[in-house]
Amino acid sequence: MTSTLSLPHAIKALAFGLCGLHASLALAAAPQNPWAAMARADADFINDWIERQSISAVYPANGDFNAKLATARRTFDAESMRVDSYAGYRHALGHFVGSLQDLHLVLRHTLTPSTYQWPGFMAAYRGGRYLVATQGSELAGQEIKQCDGQPMDALVGRVATYEQLIAGVESTKVRAAPLVFRDAGSPFVPRPRSCRIGGRDVALDWQTVAASRFAADMRSAIAFTDRVTGVTPFGADGSWVRMGIFHMQTQAEGKAFKQLMADAPALRDKSVIVLDVRGNGGGSYEWFMGFLRALYGKEYADYHARSRLEISHVYRTTPEIMAFFAADKAAETGELIPPVDGKVFDKGYVKYRQAVEAGKTVFVTPPNARGIPKPAREPVNPVKARVLLLTDYNCASACMVFVDELKRFPGVEQVGVETSVDSRTGTGFGAPLPSKNGVIEVPVVTRDGRERGDNIPHRPSRVFSGNIFDTAAVKAWISEEILGGKAEARHDRTGLHPSSAAGK
């Protein structure tokens, strides 16, 4: 069938085509700054990698994602004309990838400047306020209200646009706040000149700082980065269970988690159990399910932990992804082999391989593909302890699924601060950029039927207003304000108490 356009629509189409041609000609005519040329070459590769490997590009087949991708690319093409430095290169590509608003679709930069400009301090987001966080600064602990007439939320939102962060959530405020006061010369994020700090106007004195110094200060302000697994006493008759990871990278880490599972039944009769997953960026469901079955018993855990079983996993099918899955599975040896979580649905990837060979774009598993039966009636809960689940802004991906499951267990209470966010997609498959300046990772799995929506955090019932990364302060808060006991130390209400190691 031949289709025709009405004259007004034809004129509009011609105008749109001329606009696109004008943009293309402008790009071609623009001076070929090396950074701009490199950014465009990397963007071409990113665009192609997304289309060839990302689950979002083919499922669901409604075209919404591809329309967003096309819009993001047009914005990048316009911004690339302003790129004349590494900072501009990094932010233009960051905006391109980040505007798709999926933290499983991420550009990881490997090139880092040796220095930045900063005003001698950075900001930290604590309890709804932005505070000067740098120890030693005369402004430390004072609240930053606005800069150059703009509220801090607006400045943080502008930075987030170019830093691949999700708009409007607490975890983004935490990660972006320090970056308001980091200047690498980006044409897209001008640095503030004056800020309202501690009730007075302060002119910012920008000076050179080593990138390593800035990075160290930022880590202490936004992250809890230990990979510890283990149990320590808490109070007179409680236990503090630290689970910093669900992705084991060494035999020792796998062994430590299996020891935790072996120790878990002995915790049931404690007065309180604090499950500390601060900083846990995710990993494998099998690890946390092994712990839940060890703590609560298989029957009770299988009755309540049904969130992940309601999901149909949808996999992108390409030979490259199949090889990636196989290599990842082959690396699970010795203590890195996780506990069994039901039956293996597709042992040896036979069904997946058949889908690839048949030319299918996706491979869909049924809900509860692992065939874990739900007990006919609710078993008795063997855990007598009060269970608190302590989260922070960096609990992400599989850590959030752990929260999904535990919130279905009667009596479990989430405390601390809200988690990070994620989309229904997952399992990043990466490739190096042509420039070798970074790696682009795209999600190759999505989850139909997941109860929690995209980019929705888990919010606690009890919110900690101090520094969530300060373990001693958090323990004192739980002891005083949640359990009603006497704390060993009171937390600093500014939230700027120096960080303490978990378990101390």
Side-chain angles (χ1 to χ4, degrees):
M1 179 183 293
T2 302
S3 61
T4 59
L5 290 173
S6 65
L7 183 58
H9 284 93
I11 293 172
K12 287 181 180 179
L14 177 61
F16 181 82
L18 289 175
C19 287
L21 177 62
H22 176 75
S24 299
L25 291 174
L27 279 173
Q32 289 298 299
N33 181 279
W35 285 112
M38 187 182 295
R40 292 178 195 125
D42 284 346
D44 288 343
F45 180 82
I46 290 169
N47 210 110
D48 181 64
W49 188 251
I50 291 172
E51 290 175 345
R52 288 193 296 115
Q53 306 294 348
S54 173
I55 184 67
S56 303
V58 295
Y59 187 90
N62 56 20
D64 285 355
F65 174 83
N66 291 307
K68 291 178 182 177
L69 179 60
T71 299
R73 182 56 197 263
R74 285 195 296 271
T75 299
F76 166 82
D77 286 341
E79 290 190 333
S80 70
M81 300 174 68
R82 298 172 59 191
V83 171
D84 60 1
S85 66
Y86 173 67
Y89 158 92
R90 182 181 179 279
H91 269 171
L93 287 176
H95 191 195
F96 174 35
V97 173
S99 61
L100 298 171
Q101 294 290 276
D102 183 348
L103 292 181
H104 286 112
L105 171 59
V106 58
L107 174 59
R108 303 190 187 280
H109 299 281
T110 55
L111 186 63
T112 305
S114 59
T115 62
Y116 297 115
Q117 294 287 306
W118 78 329
F121 64 86
M122 65 176 56
Y125 181 77
R126 302 275 190 266
R129 301 186 300 158
Y130 296 94
L131 307 177
V132 175
T134 305
Q135 298 297 323
S137 169
E138 64 178 13
L139 300 171
Q142 297 185 37
E143 184 175 4
I144 312 169
K145 284 286 192 179
Q146 53 90 359
C147 295
D148 296 342
Q150 298 184 66
M152 279 294 292
D153 270 348
L155 297 172
V156 164
R158 182 179 66 191
V159 169
T161 298
Y162 292 94
E163 293 290 342
Q164 303 178 65
L165 297 170
I166 305 300
V169 295
E170 298 262 302
S171 56
T172 287
K173 293 179 180 181
V174 171
R175 293 173 185 135
L179 303 179
V180 170
F181 300 103
R182 184 189 74 177
D183 181 20
S186 170
F188 307 110
V189 182
R191 66 192 189 190
R193 299 182 301 276
S194 175
C195 297
R196 187 78 175 170
I197 305 175
R200 61 191 180 92
D201 292 326
V202 177
L204 302 187
D205 178 20
W206 290 83
Q207 53 200 266
T208 301
V209 62
S212 57
R213 159 76 191 281
F214 188 93
D217 281 4
M218 183 168 172
R219 277 194 302 272
S220 68
I222 72 168
F224 194 86
T225 57
D226 80 65
R227 296 177 61 83
V228 171
T229 299
V231 182
T232 53
F234 177 55
D237 185 39
S239 290
W240 191 278
V241 180
R242 175 71 184 138
M243 289 184 283
I245 49 173
F246 293 143
H247 175 58
M248 311 305 147
Q249 295 181 347
T250 67
Q251 296 291 320
E253 289 179 348
K255 185 176 182 180
F257 205 97
K258 290 178 179 179
Q259 184 61 54
L260 173 63
M261 290 188 289
D263 295 339
L267 306 177
R268 294 172 180 173
D269 293 327
K270 296 291 185 180
S271 60
V272 62
I273 302 170
V274 179
L275 304 178
D276 177 5
V277 292
R278 290 173 299 164
N280 189 319
S284 167
Y285 297 178
E286 284 88 345
W287 288 105
F288 71 67
M289 281 309 306
F291 171 78
L292 290 179
R293 290 193 176 102
L295 179 61
Y296 285 95
K298 184 179 186 304
E299 290 291 301
Y300 193 84
D302 286 350
Y303 185 87
H304 288 289
R306 311 297 298 180
S307 176
R308 75 201 184 289
L309 304 179
E310 296 168 357
I311 293 167
S312 293
H313 284 85
V314 185
Y315 297 82
R316 179 76 188 262
T317 56
T318 71
E320 297 87 354
I321 296 172
M322 185 172 69
F324 165 66
F325 283 153
D328 194 50
K329 192 68 178 176
E332 293 180 354
T333 59
E335 301 292 353
L336 293 175
I337 299 174
V340 175
D341 184 23
K343 298 180 295 186
V344 178
F345 174 72
D346 187 18
K347 189 173 183 178
Y349 300 107
V350 174
K351 297 174 184 177
Y352 183 91
R353 183 180 295 107
Q354 290 171 345
V356 173
E357 292 171 350
K360 296 181 179 179
T361 57
V362 297
F363 170 59
V364 184
T365 71
N368 196 7
R370 293 181 176 271
I372 300 172
K374 182 177 182 178
R377 60 184 63 183
E378 182 179 6
V380 174
N381 184 357
V383 176
K384 309 305 180 188
R386 182 176 181 180
V387 179
L388 302 176
L389 177 58
L390 175 64
T391 61
D392 76 340
Y393 305 110
N394 297 302
C395 172
S397 197
C399 181
M400 296 185 68
V401 181
F402 182 57
V403 183
D404 287 338
E405 298 291 25
L406 266 176
K407 280 196 164 182
R408 296 185 172 206
F409 284 58
V412 175
E413 183 180 8
Q414 181 191 354
V415 302
V417 296
E418 72 178 42
T419 64
S420 183
V421 295
D422 69 353
S423 63
R424 290 177 175 86
T425 62
T427 308
F429 179 37
L433 300 178
S435 66
K436 309 302 182 187
N437 291 336
V439 172
I440 178 65
E441 290 184 3
V442 300
V444 299
V445 179
T446 194
R447 303 168 180 89
D448 277 358
R450 192 179 81 174
E451 183 178 21
R452 178 167 43 83
D454 290 340
N455 297 327
I456 303 296
H458 279 296
R459 295 184 172 93
S461 59
R462 305 283 191 103
V463 178
F464 181 62
S465 61
N467 182 354
I468 192 64
F469 313 118
D470 181 349
T471 298
V474 172
K475 285 185 174 182
W477 171 71
I478 290 175
S479 179
E480 291 177 345
E481 300 185 25
I482 296 179
L483 302 179
K486 292 183 179 180
E488 296 177 2
R490 301 189 65 85
H491 68 274
D492 182 347
R493 302 292 174 174
T494 67
L496 294 171
H497 189 76
S499 296
S500 302
K504 288 186 179 178

